[in-house]
Amino acid sequence: MIEISNLVKKYGDNTAVNDLTLTVEPGKIYGFLGPNGAGKSTTMNIITGYIGATSGTVKINGHDIFSEPEAAKKCVGYLPEVPPLYVDMTVWEYLCFVAELKKLEKSLRKRYVEEAMQTTGVTDVKNRMIRNLSKGYRQRVGFAQAILGYPEIIILDEPTVGLDPAQIIEVRDLIKELGEKHTVILSSHILTEVSAVCDHVFIISKGKLVASDSTENLVGLMSGAQELEVTIVGETEAAKSALLAVAEVERVEEEKQNAEGEKILTVYAKQGEDIRGKAFKALAGSHAHVLEMRTATKSLEDVFLQITQEGGKK
């Protein structure tokens, strides 16, 4: 659906996008992540045809965004962080206006508008002025204009910013529903949101693609060897010595004690080893009272920080 090859965007001496190459396949929901200044927004603006590039190519459904901009843009529905709404129009008037701007077939415009309203749940407010709608409903109207005419690709920039928890859940459900019929690219700084709705994640750092994989594979790749978090009461040094005596244990780190004054040890196993049973037996022999033992799991936040700080790997 989208092919980006050797994309470069420079602002004077500053390189915002640095030789970026990636491919978006149909039928998936993609998360587009990057720290501030990584080139994420610049890349999305180039894909949507909002700004040009210094060099490289972007093809959308086979159409070059630079040489065939009109054909390429017809394949894309875009929802910016601030929805492009005309607040002095009713929802119906606004969506009809957008249908005209998109040059949708006149005989089908009414049907397209009605179906977009139904999909996004704004039919019941179609005759209300947009200025009188809540932020959640305004966001839904923004979704409606993005999907109007059934573009193959939907690009959403920070779609849940400023929404309350109930509205965020509604928008996530809507994104999942859109993913059944469209290819969706979701830009967000809320990593739990990306892990909740996305099939595939792109991470950009310093203008380069540093990771591209499914959320599960990224977390699995970066987790490496097994880690145990052990909460104990008793002599910490004796417990650490007992754990280090286990051949399969790589190292033991002592965390700060929790609010109850209990010590937390993080035990790192050698690659491919399951140390739970031996670790528990060793601790029992050291006379440390084990209150809790659990396998430490990495979140997408952990992976994101590790990849961007280390420079990443695809």
Side-chain angles (χ1 to χ4, degrees), residues 122-139:
V122 296
T123 304
D124 57 337
V125 295
K126 69 178 183 179
N127 294 318
R128 290 181 61 183
M129 299 285 284
I130 293 175
R131 69 164 61 254
N132 297 326
L133 298 179
S134 67
K135 184 172 179 59
Y137 265 110
R138 290 190 188 195
Q139 196 76 345

Side-chain angles (χ1 to χ4, degrees), residues 141-211:
V141 175
F143 272 100
Q145 67 80 26
I147 69 173
L148 201 58
Y150 300 104
E152 292 95 329
I153 303 161
I154 306 293
I155 297 179
L156 310 172
D157 191 3
E158 302 283 353
T160 61
V161 169
L163 301 182
D164 64 38
Q167 292 169 337
I168 289 174
I169 293 173
E170 290 178 359
V171 169
R172 287 180 183 176
D173 291 340
L174 179 56
I175 292 171
K176 290 178 183 178
E177 184 178 341
L178 292 176
E180 296 175 2
K181 299 179 180 179
H182 306 266
T183 299
V184 179
I185 301 176
L186 166 66
S187 165
S188 179
H189 287 95
I190 306 172
L191 302 187
T192 52
E193 179 174 291
V194 171
S195 61
V197 302
C198 294
D199 306 309
H200 194 99
V201 177
F202 294 122
I203 299 179
I204 291 180
S205 181
K206 298 178 182 178
K208 294 185 177 182
L209 181 68
V210 294

Side-chain angles (χ1 to χ4, degrees), residues 284-304:
S286 73
H287 303 294
H289 297 284
V290 179
L291 303 180
E292 182 181 9
M293 177 185 290
R294 64 186 180 89
T295 303
T297 57
K298 291 196 175 184
S299 65
L300 186 57
E301 284 88 346
D302 299 321
V303 175
F304 176 81

Side-chain angles (χ1 to χ4, degrees), residues 15 46 77 80 117 121 140 166 174 180 190 193 198 217 223 236 259 263 312:
T15 302
I46 294 173
M117 289 193 303
R140 286 179 171 272
L174 179 56
E180 296 175 2
I190 306 172
E193 179 174 291
C198 294
N217 287 346
S223 292
T236 304
K263 299 294 181 63

Side-chain angles (χ1 to χ4, degrees), residues 28-42:
K28 292 183 180 180
I29 301 177
Y30 289 85
F32 207 56
L33 302 176
N36 290 331
K40 169 173 55 70
S41 295
T42 300

Side-chain angles (χ1 to χ4, degrees), residues 7 36 43 50 70-71 75 92 216 267 283-284 290 297:
L7 189 65
N36 290 331
T43 302
Y50 184 69
E70 189 169 337
C75 303
W92 174 263
E216 295 80 5
V267 187
L283 287 169
V290 179
T297 57

Side-chain angles (χ1 to χ4, degrees), residues 18 24 97 163 178 192 243 248 267 269 273 304:
N18 188 1
V24 172
F97 174 62
L163 301 182
L178 292 176
T192 52
L243 289 167
E248 293 81 4
V267 187
E273 299 290 346
F304 176 81

